[in-house]
Amino acid sequence: MLGTLGPARLGVCAGQNCRGTFVDLSRNGSKQFCTRTCAHRAGVAAYRSRRSPRCGSAADSRASSVRLATPSLA
């Protein structure tokens, strides 16, 4: 099979902590991960990084105003 597809169809998994290898049998040659588990983990990590709170967001400004409004016990 490798002889008909060529070595360009061999790949290394794009998972963060995975170095698994695979033969890309997809029609357009766009496979990136060795298993569906690695692909899912990468998708979850990307989702969580997009959803993480960023500096200067509305939640941060509310938290700082609450801290300023509370009396100090010192």
Tab-separated table of all heavy atoms in Angstrom:
chain	number	residue	atom	x	y	z
A	1	MET	N	0.823	-1.189	0.000
A	1	MET	CA	0.000	0.000	0.000
A	1	MET	C	0.866	1.250	0.000
A	1	MET	O	0.550	2.226	-0.664
A	1	MET	CB	-0.926	-0.002	1.215
A	1	MET	CG	-1.829	1.198	1.202
A	1	MET	SD	-3.027	1.278	2.515
A	1	MET	CE	-3.966	-0.174	2.255
A	2	LEU	N	1.937	1.245	0.773
A	2	LEU	CA	2.827	2.399	0.832
A	2	LEU	C	3.457	2.678	-0.528
A	2	LEU	O	3.677	3.834	-0.893
A	2	LEU	CB	3.908	2.181	1.887
A	2	LEU	CG	4.822	3.360	2.169
A	2	LEU	CD1	4.021	4.563	2.639
A	2	LEU	CD2	5.845	2.987	3.209
A	3	GLY	N	3.671	1.624	-1.300
A	3	GLY	CA	4.238	1.797	-2.629
A	3	GLY	C	3.315	2.542	-3.575
A	3	GLY	O	3.773	3.314	-4.419
A	4	THR	N	2.022	2.363	-3.418
A	4	THR	CA	1.080	3.054	-4.293
A	4	THR	C	0.795	4.482	-3.838
A	4	THR	O	0.568	5.359	-4.664
A	4	THR	CB	-0.257	2.291	-4.376
A	4	THR	OG1	-0.813	2.198	-3.068
A	4	THR	CG2	-0.057	0.910	-4.948
A	5	LEU	N	0.829	4.735	-2.525
A	5	LEU	CA	0.527	6.072	-2.007
A	5	LEU	C	1.763	6.962	-1.890
A	5	LEU	O	1.660	8.175	-1.955
A	5	LEU	CB	-0.144	5.967	-0.637
A	5	LEU	CG	-1.497	5.296	-0.612
A	5	LEU	CD1	-1.994	5.155	0.821
A	5	LEU	CD2	-2.495	6.066	-1.444
A	6	GLY	N	2.910	6.361	-1.668
A	6	GLY	CA	4.136	7.128	-1.543
A	6	GLY	C	4.431	7.521	-0.111
A	6	GLY	O	3.564	7.510	0.755
A	7	PRO	N	5.677	7.908	0.164
A	7	PRO	CA	6.086	8.241	1.536
A	7	PRO	C	5.473	9.544	2.047
A	7	PRO	O	5.510	9.804	3.237
A	7	PRO	CB	7.603	8.355	1.437
A	7	PRO	CG	7.880	8.621	0.006
A	7	PRO	CD	6.785	7.947	-0.769
A	8	ALA	N	4.899	10.357	1.182
A	8	ALA	CA	4.274	11.608	1.635
A	8	ALA	C	3.046	11.332	2.493
A	8	ALA	O	2.586	12.220	3.220
A	8	ALA	CB	3.881	12.454	0.430
A	9	ARG	N	2.513	10.133	2.446
A	9	ARG	CA	1.339	9.773	3.238
A	9	ARG	C	1.692	9.270	4.629
A	9	ARG	O	0.803	8.943	5.408
A	9	ARG	CB	0.503	8.719	2.512
A	9	ARG	CG	-0.154	9.216	1.253
A	9	ARG	CD	-1.159	10.308	1.577
A	9	ARG	NE	-1.879	10.746	0.408
A	9	ARG	CZ	-3.187	10.654	0.268
A	9	ARG	NH1	-3.920	10.167	1.231
A	9	ARG	NH2	-3.767	11.069	-0.829
A	10	LEU	N	2.976	9.197	4.966
A	10	LEU	CA	3.398	8.848	6.321
A	10	LEU	C	3.424	10.127	7.139
A	10	LEU	O	3.855	11.174	6.663
A	10	LEU	CB	4.781	8.211	6.321
A	10	LEU	CG	4.891	6.830	5.693
A	10	LEU	CD1	6.343	6.390	5.686
A	10	LEU	CD2	4.041	5.834	6.447
A	11	GLY	N	2.990	10.051	8.400
A	11	GLY	CA	2.979	11.250	9.223
A	11	GLY	C	3.231	10.962	10.682
A	11	GLY	O	3.157	9.826	11.134
A	12	VAL	N	3.527	12.023	11.407
A	12	VAL	CA	3.704	11.968	12.851
A	12	VAL	C	2.547	12.743	13.468
A	12	VAL	O	2.190	13.828	12.997
A	12	VAL	CB	5.060	12.584	13.272
A	12	VAL	CG1	5.218	12.586	14.777
A	12	VAL	CG2	6.208	11.831	12.627
A	13	CYS	N	1.968	12.214	14.523
A	13	CYS	CA	0.804	12.806	15.166
A	13	CYS	C	1.088	14.244	15.607
A	13	CYS	O	2.163	14.552	16.119
A	13	CYS	CB	0.397	11.974	16.374
A	13	CYS	SG	-1.106	12.541	17.187
A	14	ALA	N	0.112	15.130	15.407
A	14	ALA	CA	0.236	16.538	15.796
A	14	ALA	C	-0.195	16.767	17.237
A	14	ALA	O	-0.215	17.912	17.687
A	14	ALA	CB	-0.599	17.404	14.861
A	15	GLY	N	-0.524	15.709	17.968
A	15	GLY	CA	-0.899	15.834	19.373
A	15	GLY	C	0.255	16.379	20.190
A	15	GLY	O	1.423	16.101	19.908
A	16	GLN	N	-0.081	17.155	21.230
A	16	GLN	CA	0.939	17.853	22.007
A	16	GLN	C	1.942	16.903	22.653
A	16	GLN	O	3.135	17.142	22.602
A	16	GLN	CB	0.271	18.685	23.088
A	16	GLN	CG	1.229	19.562	23.849
A	16	GLN	CD	0.526	20.479	24.815
A	16	GLN	OE1	-0.675	20.371	25.039
A	16	GLN	NE2	1.254	21.392	25.385
A	17	ASN	N	1.489	15.831	23.251
A	17	ASN	CA	2.384	14.900	23.932
A	17	ASN	C	2.446	13.541	23.249
A	17	ASN	O	2.816	12.555	23.866
A	17	ASN	CB	1.942	14.717	25.388
A	17	ASN	CG	2.064	15.991	26.172
A	17	ASN	OD1	2.985	16.769	25.967
A	17	ASN	ND2	1.129	16.223	27.072
A	18	CYS	N	2.095	13.481	21.990
A	18	CYS	CA	2.058	12.212	21.263
A	18	CYS	C	3.041	12.259	20.099
A	18	CYS	O	3.143	13.252	19.398
A	18	CYS	CB	0.646	11.955	20.739
A	18	CYS	SG	0.497	10.393	19.854
A	19	ARG	N	3.733	11.196	19.893
A	19	ARG	CA	4.636	11.063	18.752
A	19	ARG	C	4.304	9.819	17.961
A	19	ARG	O	5.167	9.195	17.350
A	19	ARG	CB	6.101	11.024	19.215
A	19	ARG	CG	6.564	12.327	19.803
A	19	ARG	CD	6.581	13.418	18.728
A	19	ARG	NE	6.351	14.715	19.336
A	19	ARG	CZ	5.419	15.573	18.973
A	19	ARG	NH1	4.591	15.295	18.016
A	19	ARG	NH2	5.275	16.726	19.569
A	20	GLY	N	3.025	9.451	17.969
A	20	GLY	CA	2.573	8.300	17.203
A	20	GLY	C	2.697	8.570	15.708
A	20	GLY	O	2.682	9.706	15.257
A	21	THR	N	2.831	7.513	14.951
A	21	THR	CA	2.923	7.642	13.496
A	21	THR	C	1.677	7.032	12.862
A	21	THR	O	0.976	6.232	13.475
A	21	THR	CB	4.180	6.930	12.958
A	21	THR	OG1	4.144	5.566	13.356
A	21	THR	CG2	5.443	7.587	13.481
A	22	PHE	N	1.411	7.426	11.641
A	22	PHE	CA	0.241	6.922	10.948
A	22	PHE	C	0.468	6.973	9.448
A	22	PHE	O	1.365	7.652	8.957
A	22	PHE	CB	-1.008	7.736	11.310
A	22	PHE	CG	-0.890	9.206	10.981
A	22	PHE	CD1	-1.225	9.687	9.730
A	22	PHE	CD2	-0.443	10.095	11.928
A	22	PHE	CE1	-1.111	11.029	9.421
A	22	PHE	CE2	-0.325	11.445	11.645
A	22	PHE	CZ	-0.662	11.912	10.391
A	23	VAL	N	-0.357	6.220	8.728
A	23	VAL	CA	-0.411	6.287	7.277
A	23	VAL	C	-1.716	6.989	6.942
A	23	VAL	O	-2.791	6.565	7.356
A	23	VAL	CB	-0.383	4.874	6.641
A	23	VAL	CG1	-0.540	4.970	5.136
A	23	VAL	CG2	0.892	4.157	7.012
A	24	ASP	N	-1.624	8.099	6.229
A	24	ASP	CA	-2.795	8.900	5.886
A	24	ASP	C	-3.508	8.275	4.692
A	24	ASP	O	-3.030	8.327	3.568
A	24	ASP	CB	-2.364	10.329	5.572
A	24	ASP	CG	-3.535	11.252	5.340
A	24	ASP	OD1	-4.690	10.795	5.409
A	24	ASP	OD2	-3.284	12.440	5.092
A	25	LEU	N	-4.665	7.696	4.959
A	25	LEU	CA	-5.459	7.071	3.902
A	25	LEU	C	-6.642	7.945	3.487
A	25	LEU	O	-7.495	7.508	2.721
A	25	LEU	CB	-5.953	5.697	4.355
A	25	LEU	CG	-4.860	4.686	4.707
A	25	LEU	CD1	-5.485	3.397	5.219
A	25	LEU	CD2	-3.969	4.434	3.515
A	26	SER	N	-6.681	9.183	4.009
A	26	SER	CA	-7.789	10.067	3.647
A	26	SER	C	-7.682	10.467	2.179
A	26	SER	O	-6.602	10.458	1.587
A	26	SER	CB	-7.795	11.315	4.532
A	26	SER	OG	-6.640	12.094	4.303
A	27	ARG	N	-8.782	10.832	1.613
A	27	ARG	CA	-8.826	11.155	0.189
A	27	ARG	C	-7.950	12.365	-0.164
A	27	ARG	O	-7.245	12.373	-1.158
A	27	ARG	CB	-10.270	11.425	-0.227
A	27	ARG	CG	-10.422	11.633	-1.714
A	27	ARG	CD	-11.860	11.814	-2.096
A	27	ARG	NE	-12.550	10.528	-1.983
A	27	ARG	CZ	-13.770	10.298	-2.388
A	27	ARG	NH1	-14.482	11.272	-2.907
A	27	ARG	NH2	-14.309	9.120	-2.268
A	28	ASN	N	-7.989	13.407	0.692
A	28	ASN	CA	-7.231	14.615	0.371
A	28	ASN	C	-5.885	14.711	1.094
A	28	ASN	O	-5.189	15.719	0.970
A	28	ASN	CB	-8.064	15.863	0.647
A	28	ASN	CG	-8.445	15.996	2.105
A	28	ASN	OD1	-8.118	15.156	2.924
A	28	ASN	ND2	-9.157	17.054	2.420
A	29	GLY	N	-5.518	13.709	1.858
A	29	GLY	CA	-4.204	13.686	2.497
A	29	GLY	C	-4.039	14.707	3.612
A	29	GLY	O	-2.958	15.253	3.794
A	30	SER	N	-5.086	14.951	4.395
A	30	SER	CA	-5.026	15.992	5.409
A	30	SER	C	-5.034	15.467	6.843
A	30	SER	O	-5.247	16.244	7.773
A	30	SER	CB	-6.207	16.943	5.228
A	30	SER	OG	-7.418	16.239	5.422
A	31	LYS	N	-4.797	14.196	7.040
A	31	LYS	CA	-4.826	13.625	8.376
A	31	LYS	C	-3.695	14.206	9.215
A	31	LYS	O	-2.569	14.364	8.742
A	31	LYS	CB	-4.698	12.101	8.298
A	31	LYS	CG	-4.899	11.408	9.611
A	31	LYS	CD	-4.974	9.909	9.440
A	31	LYS	CE	-5.144	9.234	10.784
A	31	LYS	NZ	-5.317	7.809	10.675
A	32	GLN	N	-3.979	14.550	10.493
A	32	GLN	CA	-2.987	15.152	11.367
A	32	GLN	C	-2.718	14.341	12.625
A	32	GLN	O	-1.685	14.531	13.261
A	32	GLN	CB	-3.444	16.537	11.811
A	32	GLN	CG	-3.583	17.521	10.702
A	32	GLN	CD	-4.059	18.868	11.231
A	32	GLN	OE1	-4.059	19.111	12.424
A	32	GLN	NE2	-4.463	19.724	10.329
A	33	PHE	N	-3.643	13.484	13.027
A	33	PHE	CA	-3.546	12.786	14.295
A	33	PHE	C	-3.565	11.282	14.090
A	33	PHE	O	-4.186	10.781	13.157
A	33	PHE	CB	-4.711	13.196	15.207
A	33	PHE	CG	-4.743	14.678	15.468
A	33	PHE	CD1	-5.594	15.497	14.759
A	33	PHE	CD2	-3.906	15.245	16.406
A	33	PHE	CE1	-5.625	16.848	14.987
A	33	PHE	CE2	-3.920	16.601	16.645
A	33	PHE	CZ	-4.780	17.407	15.934
A	34	CYS	N	-2.910	10.566	15.020
A	34	CYS	CA	-2.820	9.110	14.888
A	34	CYS	C	-4.134	8.430	15.253
A	34	CYS	O	-4.471	7.401	14.682
A	34	CYS	CB	-1.677	8.580	15.745
A	34	CYS	SG	-1.839	8.907	17.514
A	35	THR	N	-4.883	8.983	16.200
A	35	THR	CA	-6.162	8.398	16.606
A	35	THR	C	-7.199	9.502	16.804
A	35	THR	O	-6.864	10.682	16.884
A	35	THR	CB	-6.030	7.622	17.942
A	35	THR	OG1	-5.651	8.543	18.966
A	35	THR	CG2	-5.017	6.502	17.839
A	36	ARG	N	-8.444	9.105	16.927
A	36	ARG	CA	-9.503	10.068	17.211
A	36	ARG	C	-9.339	10.659	18.607
A	36	ARG	O	-9.734	11.795	18.864
A	36	ARG	CB	-10.858	9.388	17.076
A	36	ARG	CG	-11.142	9.002	15.637
A	36	ARG	CD	-12.320	8.108	15.487
A	36	ARG	NE	-13.557	8.795	15.844
A	36	ARG	CZ	-14.741	8.224	15.811
A	36	ARG	NH1	-14.859	6.977	15.430
A	36	ARG	NH2	-15.811	8.901	16.152
A	37	THR	N	-8.726	9.904	19.522
A	37	THR	CA	-8.492	10.396	20.880
A	37	THR	C	-7.549	11.586	20.856
A	37	THR	O	-7.792	12.598	21.520
A	37	THR	CB	-7.915	9.268	21.761
A	37	THR	OG1	-8.821	8.170	21.757
A	37	THR	CG2	-7.684	9.741	23.168
A	38	CYS	N	-6.471	11.498	20.104
A	38	CYS	CA	-5.521	12.618	19.996
A	38	CYS	C	-6.189	13.835	19.351
A	38	CYS	O	-5.977	14.971	19.784
A	38	CYS	CB	-4.299	12.219	19.189
A	38	CYS	SG	-3.128	11.224	20.119
A	39	ALA	N	-6.993	13.611	18.349
A	39	ALA	CA	-7.689	14.715	17.690
A	39	ALA	C	-8.663	15.384	18.657
A	39	ALA	O	-8.762	16.616	18.699
A	39	ALA	CB	-8.433	14.204	16.454
A	40	HIS	N	-9.361	14.583	19.448
A	40	HIS	CA	-10.311	15.136	20.413
A	40	HIS	C	-9.586	15.952	21.484
A	40	HIS	O	-10.030	17.040	21.854
A	40	HIS	CB	-11.121	14.015	21.045
A	40	HIS	CG	-12.119	14.495	22.043
A	40	HIS	ND1	-13.227	15.213	21.685
A	40	HIS	CD2	-12.167	14.377	23.384
A	40	HIS	CE1	-13.921	15.514	22.770
A	40	HIS	NE2	-13.290	15.012	23.810
A	41	ARG	N	-8.471	15.439	21.989
A	41	ARG	CA	-7.710	16.173	23.003
A	41	ARG	C	-7.235	17.521	22.472
A	41	ARG	O	-7.270	18.524	23.179
A	41	ARG	CB	-6.501	15.352	23.452
A	41	ARG	CG	-6.866	14.227	24.369
A	41	ARG	CD	-5.640	13.473	24.827
A	41	ARG	NE	-6.033	12.344	25.639
A	41	ARG	CZ	-5.386	11.202	25.695
A	41	ARG	NH1	-4.275	11.051	25.001
A	41	ARG	NH2	-5.817	10.224	26.448
A	42	ALA	N	-6.790	17.544	21.237
A	42	ALA	CA	-6.344	18.805	20.632
A	42	ALA	C	-7.509	19.774	20.482
A	42	ALA	O	-7.357	20.980	20.729
A	42	ALA	CB	-5.697	18.538	19.282
A	43	GLY	N	-8.656	19.271	20.096
A	43	GLY	CA	-9.829	20.125	19.962
A	43	GLY	C	-10.284	20.701	21.292
A	43	GLY	O	-10.639	21.883	21.386
A	44	VAL	N	-10.268	19.879	22.334
A	44	VAL	CA	-10.644	20.348	23.669
A	44	VAL	C	-9.656	21.390	24.159
A	44	VAL	O	-10.045	22.414	24.727
A	44	VAL	CB	-10.750	19.155	24.647
A	44	VAL	CG1	-10.861	19.626	26.083
A	44	VAL	CG2	-11.921	18.274	24.282
A	45	ALA	N	-8.368	21.169	23.948
A	45	ALA	CA	-7.362	22.148	24.373
A	45	ALA	C	-7.541	23.479	23.647
A	45	ALA	O	-7.429	24.550	24.256
A	45	ALA	CB	-5.963	21.591	24.120
A	46	ALA	N	-7.853	23.438	22.364
A	46	ALA	CA	-8.076	24.673	21.608
A	46	ALA	C	-9.319	25.394	22.116
A	46	ALA	O	-9.321	26.623	22.270
A	46	ALA	CB	-8.215	24.360	20.123
A	47	TYR	N	-10.373	24.642	22.402
A	47	TYR	CA	-11.601	25.232	22.934
A	47	TYR	C	-11.341	25.897	24.277
A	47	TYR	O	-11.755	27.029	24.515
A	47	TYR	CB	-12.671	24.154	23.070
A	47	TYR	CG	-13.922	24.622	23.776
A	47	TYR	CD1	-14.867	25.372	23.099
A	47	TYR	CD2	-14.146	24.314	25.111
A	47	TYR	CE1	-16.019	25.803	23.736
A	47	TYR	CE2	-15.285	24.744	25.757
A	47	TYR	CZ	-16.215	25.489	25.067
A	47	TYR	OH	-17.340	25.922	25.704
A	48	ARG	N	-10.640	25.206	25.157
A	48	ARG	CA	-10.373	25.757	26.485
A	48	ARG	C	-9.481	26.989	26.408
A	48	ARG	O	-9.647	27.919	27.190
A	48	ARG	CB	-9.748	24.696	27.374
A	48	ARG	CG	-10.751	23.652	27.780
A	48	ARG	CD	-10.146	22.605	28.670
A	48	ARG	NE	-11.161	21.633	29.063
A	48	ARG	CZ	-10.887	20.472	29.611
A	48	ARG	NH1	-9.644	20.117	29.847
A	48	ARG	NH2	-11.865	19.655	29.937
A	49	SER	N	-8.545	27.005	25.487
A	49	SER	CA	-7.690	28.189	25.366
A	49	SER	C	-8.473	29.384	24.839
A	49	SER	O	-8.198	30.523	25.217
A	49	SER	CB	-6.483	27.906	24.474
A	49	SER	OG	-6.883	27.767	23.137
A	50	ARG	N	-9.467	29.141	23.996
A	50	ARG	CA	-10.317	30.236	23.519
A	50	ARG	C	-11.247	30.735	24.606
A	50	ARG	O	-11.576	31.908	24.649
A	50	ARG	CB	-11.166	29.776	22.324
A	50	ARG	CG	-10.393	29.595	21.056
A	50	ARG	CD	-11.330	29.406	19.872
A	50	ARG	NE	-12.302	28.348	20.051
A	50	ARG	CZ	-12.147	27.084	19.660
A	50	ARG	NH1	-11.029	26.725	19.068
A	50	ARG	NH2	-13.101	26.189	19.844
A	51	ARG	N	-11.685	29.854	25.489
A	51	ARG	CA	-12.644	30.200	26.529
A	51	ARG	C	-11.995	30.705	27.808
A	51	ARG	O	-12.700	31.131	28.713
A	51	ARG	CB	-13.494	28.977	26.878
A	51	ARG	CG	-14.298	28.427	25.736
A	51	ARG	CD	-15.499	29.223	25.453
A	51	ARG	NE	-16.363	29.167	26.626
A	51	ARG	CZ	-17.476	29.838	26.754
A	51	ARG	NH1	-17.888	30.605	25.794
A	51	ARG	NH2	-18.194	29.749	27.843
A	52	SER	N	-10.673	30.667	27.922
A	52	SER	CA	-10.014	31.092	29.152
A	52	SER	C	-10.163	32.598	29.322
A	52	SER	O	-10.198	33.347	28.349
A	52	SER	CB	-8.536	30.703	29.120
A	52	SER	OG	-7.862	31.467	28.150
A	53	PRO	N	-10.267	33.069	30.574
A	53	PRO	CA	-10.401	34.509	30.800
A	53	PRO	C	-9.141	35.245	30.366
A	53	PRO	O	-8.027	34.780	30.589
A	53	PRO	CB	-10.620	34.622	32.307
A	53	PRO	CG	-10.250	33.323	32.878
A	53	PRO	CD	-10.279	32.301	31.797
A	54	ARG	N	-9.353	36.375	29.737
A	54	ARG	CA	-8.234	37.172	29.262
A	54	ARG	C	-8.065	38.401	30.150
A	54	ARG	O	-9.011	38.853	30.775
A	54	ARG	CB	-8.469	37.614	27.827
A	54	ARG	CG	-8.431	36.448	26.846
A	54	ARG	CD	-8.706	36.941	25.443
A	54	ARG	NE	-8.513	36.007	24.384
A	54	ARG	CZ	-9.075	34.849	24.228
A	54	ARG	NH1	-9.866	34.391	25.136
A	54	ARG	NH2	-8.857	34.101	23.184
A	55	CYS	N	-6.892	38.958	30.192
A	55	CYS	CA	-6.634	40.171	30.959
A	55	CYS	C	-7.466	41.313	30.396
A	55	CYS	O	-7.593	41.464	29.188
A	55	CYS	CB	-5.159	40.551	30.890
A	55	CYS	SG	-4.103	39.358	31.687
A	56	GLY	N	-8.033	42.111	31.277
A	56	GLY	CA	-8.810	43.255	30.843
A	56	GLY	C	-10.235	42.929	30.468
A	56	GLY	O	-10.936	43.765	29.946
A	57	SER	N	-10.688	41.726	30.748
A	57	SER	CA	-12.065	41.378	30.415
A	57	SER	C	-13.015	41.985	31.433
A	57	SER	O	-12.611	42.504	32.474
A	57	SER	CB	-12.235	39.859	30.366
A	57	SER	OG	-12.122	39.327	31.667
A	58	ALA	N	-14.290	41.926	31.178
A	58	ALA	CA	-15.295	42.491	32.069
A	58	ALA	C	-15.271	41.805	33.434
A	58	ALA	O	-15.455	42.452	34.461
A	58	ALA	CB	-16.670	42.370	31.430
A	59	ALA	N	-15.019	40.519	33.473
A	59	ALA	CA	-14.975	39.797	34.738
A	59	ALA	C	-13.817	40.299	35.593
A	59	ALA	O	-13.944	40.429	36.807
A	59	ALA	CB	-14.839	38.297	34.485
A	60	ASP	N	-12.674	40.605	34.982
A	60	ASP	CA	-11.532	41.115	35.731
A	60	ASP	C	-11.830	42.489	36.302
A	60	ASP	O	-11.461	42.798	37.435
A	60	ASP	CB	-10.286	41.195	34.836
A	60	ASP	CG	-9.747	39.825	34.481
A	60	ASP	OD1	-10.063	38.865	35.215
A	60	ASP	OD2	-9.018	39.718	33.480
A	61	SER	N	-12.487	43.352	35.543
A	61	SER	CA	-12.774	44.692	36.032
A	61	SER	C	-13.796	44.648	37.163
A	61	SER	O	-13.723	45.423	38.105
A	61	SER	CB	-13.249	45.598	34.900
A	61	SER	OG	-14.469	45.116	34.384
A	62	ARG	N	-14.757	43.724	37.097
A	62	ARG	CA	-15.727	43.594	38.188
A	62	ARG	C	-15.043	43.114	39.454
A	62	ARG	O	-15.316	43.597	40.541
A	62	ARG	CB	-16.835	42.618	37.800
A	62	ARG	CG	-17.870	43.194	36.879
A	62	ARG	CD	-19.080	42.257	36.800
A	62	ARG	NE	-18.727	40.915	36.367
A	62	ARG	CZ	-18.805	40.484	35.116
A	62	ARG	NH1	-19.209	41.289	34.163
A	62	ARG	NH2	-18.480	39.255	34.820
A	63	ALA	N	-14.130	42.172	39.319
A	63	ALA	CA	-13.436	41.637	40.485
A	63	ALA	C	-12.582	42.718	41.145
A	63	ALA	O	-12.519	42.813	42.372
A	63	ALA	CB	-12.572	40.449	40.087
A	64	SER	N	-11.925	43.557	40.368
A	64	SER	CA	-11.086	44.595	40.955
A	64	SER	C	-11.930	45.649	41.642
A	64	SER	O	-11.547	46.184	42.678
A	64	SER	CB	-10.181	45.224	39.893
A	64	SER	OG	-10.966	45.877	38.926
A	65	SER	N	-13.113	45.969	41.111
A	65	SER	CA	-13.962	46.952	41.758
A	65	SER	C	-14.535	46.411	43.056
A	65	SER	O	-14.730	47.147	44.010
A	65	SER	CB	-15.074	47.402	40.814
A	65	SER	OG	-15.937	46.324	40.540
A	66	VAL	N	-14.776	45.106	43.117
A	66	VAL	CA	-15.265	44.500	44.347
A	66	VAL	C	-14.178	44.548	45.402
A	66	VAL	O	-14.434	44.857	46.557
A	66	VAL	CB	-15.737	43.044	44.097
A	66	VAL	CG1	-16.024	42.334	45.399
A	66	VAL	CG2	-16.959	43.047	43.197
A	67	ARG	N	-12.950	44.295	45.009
A	67	ARG	CA	-11.846	44.350	45.961
A	67	ARG	C	-11.680	45.757	46.513
A	67	ARG	O	-11.386	45.935	47.679
A	67	ARG	CB	-10.547	43.893	45.299
A	67	ARG	CG	-10.416	42.387	45.326
A	67	ARG	CD	-9.061	41.953	44.825
A	67	ARG	NE	-9.287	41.345	43.509
A	67	ARG	CZ	-8.743	41.754	42.383
A	67	ARG	NH1	-7.898	42.748	42.372
A	67	ARG	NH2	-9.025	41.167	41.255
A	68	LEU	N	-11.869	46.769	45.697
A	68	LEU	CA	-11.711	48.139	46.146
A	68	LEU	C	-12.858	48.561	47.051
A	68	LEU	O	-12.676	49.391	47.941
A	68	LEU	CB	-11.634	49.084	44.941
A	68	LEU	CG	-10.417	48.913	44.046
A	68	LEU	CD1	-10.548	49.805	42.833
A	68	LEU	CD2	-9.142	49.193	44.796
A	69	ALA	N	-14.023	47.990	46.871
A	69	ALA	CA	-15.195	48.384	47.626
A	69	ALA	C	-15.233	47.765	49.017
A	69	ALA	O	-15.935	48.257	49.896
A	69	ALA	CB	-16.452	48.029	46.862
A	70	THR	N	-14.519	46.691	49.260
A	70	THR	CA	-14.567	46.040	50.555
A	70	THR	C	-13.663	46.771	51.536
A	70	THR	O	-12.562	47.186	51.191
A	70	THR	CB	-14.124	44.572	50.447
A	70	THR	OG1	-12.825	44.522	49.888
A	70	THR	CG2	-15.084	43.778	49.594
A	71	PRO	N	-14.094	46.965	52.766
A	71	PRO	CA	-13.261	47.665	53.758
A	71	PRO	C	-12.091	46.781	54.177
A	71	PRO	O	-12.206	45.576	54.230
A	71	PRO	CB	-14.219	47.927	54.916
A	71	PRO	CG	-15.283	46.889	54.773
A	71	PRO	CD	-15.385	46.601	53.305
A	72	SER	N	-10.993	47.403	54.495
A	72	SER	CA	-9.826	46.638	54.928
A	72	SER	C	-9.949	46.331	56.415
A	72	SER	O	-10.515	47.110	57.190
A	72	SER	CB	-8.540	47.407	54.641
A	72	SER	OG	-8.496	48.543	55.461
A	73	LEU	N	-9.454	45.215	56.809
A	73	LEU	CA	-9.523	44.778	58.206
A	73	LEU	C	-8.250	45.135	58.959
A	73	LEU	O	-8.143	44.827	60.133
A	73	LEU	CB	-9.791	43.280	58.259
A	73	LEU	CG	-11.096	42.809	57.603
A	73	LEU	CD1	-11.153	41.308	57.621
A	73	LEU	CD2	-12.298	43.410	58.297
A	74	ALA	N	-7.311	45.757	58.330
A	74	ALA	CA	-6.032	46.065	58.969
A	74	ALA	C	-6.065	47.249	59.883
A	74	ALA	O	-6.865	48.050	60.017
A	74	ALA	CB	-4.973	46.315	57.892
